[in-house]
Amino acid sequence: MQKDLVSIQEVTVEDLRRIFEIATKMKSERPSYPLKHLQGKSIGLIFSKSSTRTRVSFEVGIRELGGASIFLDQADLQLGRGETIADTAQVLSRYLHAVIIRTHEHAELVEFAKFSTIPVINALTNMFHPCQILTDLFTMNEYSEKLEGVKMAYLGDCANNTSNSLILAAKLSGFDLVLSSPEEYAPSKAMMDYSGPGNGSVAWEPDPFKAVKGADYIYTDVWVSMGYEKETAKRKKALMPYQVSREIVESAKSNVKIMHCLPAKRGEEISDEVIDGHSSIVFDQAENRLHVQKAILALLLDENCP
Ligand code: CP
């Protein structure tokens, strides 16, 4: 893998194969897997937004690989008092072995990675959420035993960090993605025009019932991403027709699986009966964050990782 995981654009087909292989082993051998890949290493987590899954799965994963994690709320750092990102990145590179960052502006993460001499992992920005989406690919591969030719329909806000990352993932791994939203929340032209190494097709379809036809997976995410709270009422009104409801699920394949990166706003982007129903794999996705992120850390930080 390259030095940093800033977005899925840096991930190669070979990286993906290795992540799947190592994560599968780490998952099946979790109780006995040796504490070795991060032995003697300290990993900083700098978060300026709330997190349940990302923070806990990274901290547990670091411990299970023999390393130590240091959680840093961005507000507690001198960054909050005006120290530059460049200076902070250079200083932390002298203490730590990697930094995992959750922040608002993607450009801040890119700036940090530019001045850091240690690996920087994106734990979510306004643009991308690569750890989540690599986990989603792993989860789909567990269920379908392949990605090429598998169809996913993504309903809701198609211009957020999850949908942007899914577009890059389809163009990396070869699954076919149909995004469905009103025009106002359609994916950007830049994202749609991105060309990756895989053969996955990416399309936008404003009719959610057409979008889910033949889908193996239906994926959704909250309509109001962190930082967009002022738009809550407007977004709820515009996106209600895109709720993953029983009627939507019944319009896809009979064995369709339902995905959500969580946290969910039940009754908004997904109904209770769907998220709790037999087709839902949302907690498998959440669990796999741990295994996939451990594999990413091992690949980035242990030169002897097989
Ligand atoms: N999916 C996800 O990133 O969850 P958290 O915001 O709880 O970390």
Side-chain angles (χ1 to χ4, degrees), residues 149-302:
V150 168
K151 177 178 172 182
M152 175 192 283
Y154 174 94
L155 271 56
D157 178 5
C158 295
N160 67 15
N161 47 31
T162 299
S163 54
N164 284 343
S165 301
L166 283 170
I167 293 171
L168 300 184
K171 295 186 182 187
L172 167 70
S173 67
F175 75 88
D176 297 317
L177 176 65
V178 178
L179 302 121
S180 188
S181 69
E183 186 128 28
E184 194 178 354
Y185 299 100
S188 70
K189 185 171 173 339
M191 290 307 308
M192 294 298 275
D193 287 349
Y194 170 75
S195 162
N199 295 323
S201 64
V202 178
W204 174 72
E205 164 58 62
D207 181 335
F209 288 93
K210 282 189 191 161
V212 300
K213 204 162 183 296
D216 300 288
Y217 296 89
I218 299 175
Y219 197 128
T220 189
D221 188 8
V222 290
W223 292 335
V224 185
S225 295
M226 287 181 276
Y228 293 87
E229 289 77 7
K230 283 187 185 151
E231 297 179 16
T232 299
K234 180 177 153 225
R235 283 172 173 259
K236 277 191 196 175
K237 187 166 176 229
L239 292 167
M240 201 61 204
Y242 297 83
Q243 183 190 70
V244 179
S245 60
R246 180 157 49 85
E247 292 72 26
I248 284 283
V249 173
E250 285 172 356
S251 303
K253 276 190 179 167
S254 58
N255 61 347
V256 67
K257 301 283 179 249
I258 308 303
M259 301 181 75
H260 193 307
C261 52
L262 302 179
K265 284 273 189 186
R266 287 164 174 258
E268 294 185 13
E269 75 277 2
I270 192 162
S271 68
D272 272 322
E273 66 177 330
V274 170
I275 198 167
D276 294 330
H278 68 275
S279 303
S280 173
I281 59 169
V282 301
F283 298 114
D284 292 334
Q285 282 177 270
E287 179 196 325
N288 283 336
R289 294 291 300 276
L290 173 69
H291 312 301
V292 168
Q293 288 163 189
K294 283 168 71 178
I296 292 167
L297 287 166
L299 281 167
L300 287 176
L301 287 165
D302 183 358

Side-chain angles (χ1 to χ4, degrees), residues 47 49-57 102 123-124 129 131-132 162 219 221 226 260-263 286 289 293:
F47 279 44
K49 289 176 167 180
S50 312
S51 171
T52 298
R53 280 142 289 270
T54 309
R55 176 179 175 179
V56 177
S57 56
R102 170 168 285 205
L124 181 146
H129 198 358
C131 295
Q132 176 67 56
T162 299
Y219 197 128
D221 188 8
M226 287 181 276
H260 193 307
C261 52
L262 302 179
R289 294 291 300 276
Q293 288 163 189

